[in-house]
Amino acid sequence: MNRKQLVDEVSIVFSGAAGQGIQSIEMILTKLLKREGYHVFSTKEFMSRIRGGINSTCLRVSSERVNAPMEKADLFLPLIQDTTLHLQDKITEHTVIIGEQEVVQFDDMVDIPFSEIAKRCGNKIYSSSVAVGVIAGILDVSDSTIEKTFTKHFKGKDEKIIQENIQAAKEGIKESAKIQEHLEVDIEKDASVQDEMLISGTEAVAMGAVSANVRYVASYPMSPATGVLVKLAGWSEQTDCIIEQVEDEITVVNMALGAWYAGARAFVTTSGGGLALMSEGISLSGITEIPFVVHVAQRPGPGTGLPTRTEQGDLHLVLYSGHGDFPRIIYAPGTVEEAFYLTNRAFDLADRFQVPVFILTDQYFVDSLCNTPVWDLNKIVSENHFTETAQDYKRYAITESGVSPRGIPGFGKGLVKVDSDEHDEEGLITENLNETRKAMVEKRFFRKFNLVRKEVIEPDCFGNKDNELLVVSWGSTGNAVKHAFQLLESPPAGMHFSQVWPLPENIEDILSRYKRIAVVENNASAQFATLLKGYAGVPVAHNILKFTGLPFSQEEIAREIQSIQ
Amino acid sequence: MSENIFDPHVKDIAWCPGCGNFPIRKIMLEMLEELELDPVNTVMVSGIGQAAKSPQYIQANYFNGLHGRALPPATAMKAANPELTVIVESGDGDMYGEGGNHFLHAIRRNPDITAVVHNNMIYGLTKGQASPTTSKGMKTPVQINGVFLEPFNPLAAAIALDASFVARANALDQDKTKEIIKKAVQHKGFALVDVFQICVSFNKVNTAKWFKEHTYYLDEQHDTSDRSAAFSRAIEQDKLPLGIFYEQKNKPVFEESFPLYQKDKSPLFQRTLNKEALEKIAAEKTE
Ligand SMILES: Cc1ncc(C[n+]2csc(CCOP(=O)(O)OP(=O)(O)O)c2C)c(N)n1
Ligand code: SF4
């Protein structure tokens, strides 16, 4: 090993079996480093089991915001010997491996007797605190930050236990000198980070729903979407929100529509399999014009697929779920910030236009953690868009705009009649085909679609806009592409879509400026590229695809772009 | 009699002449009026089927949703606004077949809503296939050798799940049925009323005469608080008992189990964003 100096950032990978505590290492370390003024980003991959197996967390610590997975580890800290070798790509000749000789054996490993030190401090289970200390030492974290973070993190625990953990961490710091022989880290701190939030994709979506005044959550647990349900449940006594775990996803969607019908903003969170079951209910939202907001955290399919892994394979499911013609909106946030504001916006648009709105994330996204500025609450909206009804109220009044004022039962003198059969303005079943059916489709599909399209969020453009090559991304891959550009000598043009449906009206003009288009997506069938081709009619020259169940790393994308430049 | 405010005077009703849905409709209109309910605060919820068209012919709010899916939205709207009176009307196929899972869980949840099931023991709207309650042996264009599955017994299932109100009625006994449904609506908690109904077009077995011959009313000796007795009555086969089988007066209801209504009774639509709660959650994340 050569002595190496890192000044901008360091990437650290922890691996261990489920239940060994790498999650708590991640939690404490990210809090600790953020408090110290470092930008942090951590992403995890884990097996679909509660105990055992091999899971890992990759933590990036940097002088600036770096929110994308990295391939290489500068530091690797295995708590068990990896028998599956799926972390092999992370280890290079420059990687410093830190481990306990008695547990793991690697060539050139820096041996740190975690358990022995932990035992000395009071208990073997403090090993993770020793590990935290080692990393803190490398990153020059002050004792006071250690003390504050541990005290807060272990709040409610016995004082003795807290002190012993702090001691274990401090012992870890002493050990870090051994690593500094191989690797010196000198990353600039940024004091403004200290006041930022440390937030996961899950929390960003859940807080977005809270910011929209969500009052009814019905869901059925399904990885990787369950976290949002758990968060909302945890906050429900503060937010006065009904949380109900129901019998299946068919109930989920029908309950949500019942709640919206009665004037409560409802929210649901699911993954592809659950959304598949909701399909008929989404169509019911379409014809009854009852708002609906759903978070879909994708995982690889088909079938049960890989429950704890990541993929962007449900774009077409979300785009086409539900029979018949009706408008819909699909957001695909690429950052936690986007996830928060887009979830807030999803409720607003669902309410204003009375359409289903989807927030499409994935496992990689919801399970990643980073620091981000505190939300600007002046930018959120939470006003209801139902109206007080008059005696002669007609739920489906034909309007110029396409939106019929939405009444709710018990508010006003009118009656609110909604029907999943084709209906007239009042909500009565009709088979008047040439007039009523036609007028209803023109109202709720064509006119409303035009309204929805006026609110489209334009793609974010970056890179070298004059380049002949355009690299397109959507949803969670956006940051990895942006970071990949920084690794390239001459970056192409980049375009990230955080709204994937409807697309901007001038999409064809935007895209046809480029000679060649490459689309980066975490799926096998190039779903967004297919949409662009079909809808904008522009040819896509290159599909950069990954479907292993793992997210793209920035290095991987950089290599792919280089090969087509 | 004065004008019934729940009668919308629909000219064209989509049921066959002589259908058992007509007497049920008459019972429902009278029941709603006699209980002095307010149409503005009443929501009729249904799935899809002939019976499920009922809300179309009642002047109140309604939510005519998907086949089998009446109970989930009904539960949610009652929870979102406990001031509403929520009544579900649907067919046996809708409620016990396509909606079977919701039926079980609505009983467990116990929202304060009423489910009136038009049980004609057949699929009407799709033209005469077997329903979960079709008797064994009945031939249909699909069950060409006769039904061989055990019929679903909604009352026994509901009592087994400790439902809070379980009753059976016969649409052709107008007065008695109206009284049972009134009690069901007034009951606090999930109330099931399975109403025998004739289908003149597709069910030639369970006719008006058949129902008359095969039913009898529970007498005053029957103790509606005795679950075992109620269950024994529910599994009787030769002659099918009618009336209120089982009733629990103080079972906690779904919507009242949430702490938010213990603090404040107002319906959810009247509540605006609690920005402080959001700020607090965000502040915790900066720690
Ligand atoms: C998902 C779905 N599957 C099937 C149907 C077709 N369908 C409509 S009503 C019905 C059964 C009706 O029987 P029942 O609920 O007993 O009501 P009835 O018409 O006898 O009153 C069926 C199968 C549908 N509308 N939706
Ligand atoms: S098919 Fe049967 S249930 Fe349906 S309307 Fe006709 S008689 Fe009534």
Side-chain angles (χ1 to χ4, degrees), chain B residues 84-120:
Chain B
L84 299 172
T85 298
V86 179
I87 302 171
V88 173
E89 261 193 281
S90 252
D92 45 309
D94 191 272
M95 200 69 80
Y96 308 139
E98 188 91 37
N101 202 21
H102 310 308
F103 177 69
L104 303 183
H105 293 276
I107 294 173
R108 291 184 54 226
R109 229 167 245 129
N110 198 35
D112 182 16
I113 64 174
T114 308
V116 176
V117 185
H118 300 214
N119 185 358
N120 57 7

Side-chain angles (χ1 to χ4, degrees), chain A residues 56 70 103 147 224 242 259 294 324 337 355 359-360 403 437 463:
Chain A
S56 74
M70 237 177 117
V103 185
E147 284 153 18
I242 290 181
V294 53
E337 209 169 9
V355 294
I359 301 139
L360 197 55
V403 174
R437 161 74 182 178

Side-chain angles (χ1 to χ4, degrees), chain A residues 97-284:
Chain A
I97 304 176
I98 311 165
E100 185 165 2
Q101 196 74 55
E102 298 205 346
V103 185
V104 287
Q105 289 86 38
F106 284 89
D107 297 339
D108 279 343
M109 187 178 81
V110 179
D111 175 29
I112 296 181
F114 293 110
S115 352
E116 208 186 294
I117 300 171
K119 247 187 265 165
R120 251 194 280 133
C121 297
N123 195 326
K124 195 177 162 216
I125 59 166
Y126 303 152
S127 310
S128 17
S129 294
V130 181
V132 169
V134 171
I135 305 298
I138 300 167
L139 286 156
D140 189 25
V141 174
S142 71
D143 279 5
S144 81
T145 302
I146 297 261
E147 284 153 18
K148 269 192 226 152
T149 309
F150 273 76
T151 313
K152 284 224 158 150
H153 185 83
F154 288 107
K155 201 167 66 197
K157 285 232 159 72
D158 202 62
E159 186 55 31
K160 183 168 166 273
I161 295 180
I162 300 176
Q163 288 310 324
E164 286 174 351
N165 272 290
I166 292 175
Q167 190 51 40
K170 286 182 179 169
E171 291 297 323
I173 292 182
K174 287 185 200 153
E175 294 292 319
S176 66
K178 285 189 196 163
I179 290 132
Q180 279 159 356
E181 288 167 23
H182 309 287
L183 182 84
E184 207 174 315
V185 183
D186 183 17
I187 299 170
E188 210 174 315
K189 297 177 190 173
D190 173 356
S192 70
V193 172
Q194 293 169 348
D195 302 324
E196 292 194 353
M197 297 181 297
L198 187 64
I199 219 130
S200 66
T202 291
E203 288 167 324
V205 170
M207 287 171 84
V210 170
S211 76
N213 194 24
V214 65
R215 293 290 178 169
Y216 197 107
V217 177
S219 278
Y220 191 85
M222 184 169 191
S223 295
T226 317
V228 171
L229 173 62
V230 172
K231 283 289 160 199
L232 290 167
W235 301 329
S236 64
E237 302 210 336
Q238 289 159 266
T239 55
D240 288 329
C241 182
I242 290 181
I243 308 285
E244 182 62 356
Q245 179 186 322
V246 298
E247 54 271 27
D248 56 34
E249 285 83 353
I250 300 175
T251 312
V252 167
V253 57
N254 284 284
M255 262 201 177
L257 295 178
W260 275 101
Y261 168 78
R265 286 186 159 195
F267 188 46
V268 314
T269 176
T270 191
S271 188
L275 192 86
L277 285 177
M278 289 185 205
S279 168
E280 194 191 16
I282 288 163
S283 182
L284 180 64

Side-chain angles (χ1 to χ4, degrees), chain A residues 34 198 203 210 213 215 237 240 244 247-248 250-251 255 263 410 412 415-420 427 429, chain B residues 40 56 59 61-62 64-65 69 72-73 76 101-102 105 109 254 260 263 269 271-273 275 279 285-286:
Chain A
K34 192 208 75 143
L198 187 64
E203 288 167 324
V210 170
N213 194 24
R215 293 290 178 169
E237 302 210 336
D240 288 329
E244 182 62 356
E247 54 271 27
D248 56 34
I250 300 175
T251 312
M255 262 201 177
L415 297 175
V416 184
K417 302 177 172 181
V418 303
D419 209 298
S420 87
I429 296 177
Chain B
V40 166
Q56 292 275 317
Q59 185 66 350
N61 296 293
Y62 65 70
N64 181 19
R69 316 296 169 203
N101 202 21
H102 310 308
H105 293 276
R109 229 167 245 129
F254 176 68
L260 73 165
K263 289 190 259 176
F269 79 84
R271 304 182 188 213
T272 51
L273 174 66
K275 264 201 178 174
E279 278 164 0
K285 295 290 147 201
T286 62

